[in-house]
Structure formats: C-alpha cells, structure tokens
Amino acid sequence: MRRGPSILGIILVIWLVIGAIAAGQRGYYDGDDKNCAEAGTILVTIVAGPLNYIGANPKIDCELPEPSK
C-alpha cells in the first residue's frame, strides 16, 4: 500500500512551480490583453520549468482562423 504522494508527483509539482516563477519573472502575467500567442507562451514556459534558467526561452506564435461568413 502506498502512502502519500509519490516522488515523481512531487518532482512534477516542483517543476511546474519553477516554470510558473520563470513566467512571472519574465512579466508574462502583466497586462489585461491575452491572445493565443501570449497564452501559449505562458503555458510552454511553465511546462519548460527549470529549463528556463539554462537558456530555454519557449515562444508560441499562433493565429486563430477567422469564422466563416
């Protein structure tokens, strides 16, 4: 029987917290206007976690399709 969270779960949470801190330090949470590219960049920065501190600087560039007329 397992008790408490697994070590992999703890590492994953720490990894994501470090990524969220990196996104905050880069100022990605500032401002009210959020578009697809900004939201995607925030997400991949969080997922990159500690890699942000060794040179990773993930960016997303996306365009949403226009609705049909």
Side-chain angles (χ1 to χ4, degrees):
M1 215 188 277
R2 285 177 33 181
R3 292 185 186 179
S6 70
I7 188 72
L8 291 177
I10 293 170
I11 290 171
L12 177 63
V13 168
I14 292 170
W15 183 278
L16 296 175
V17 167
I18 291 171
I21 291 169
Q25 289 175 337
R26 290 181 177 163
Y28 291 163
Y29 302 131
D30 296 340
D32 294 333
D33 297 340
K34 295 294 180 218
N35 59 34
C36 174
E38 290 175 358
T41 298
I42 291 170
L43 181 63
V44 295
T45 300
I46 292 171
V47 171
L51 299 177
N52 289 293
Y53 294 101
I54 58 171
N57 190 9
K59 301 264 185 195
I60 297 291
D61 185 29
C62 58
E63 294 185 28
L64 297 174
E66 295 293 323
S68 60
K69 294 182 180 186

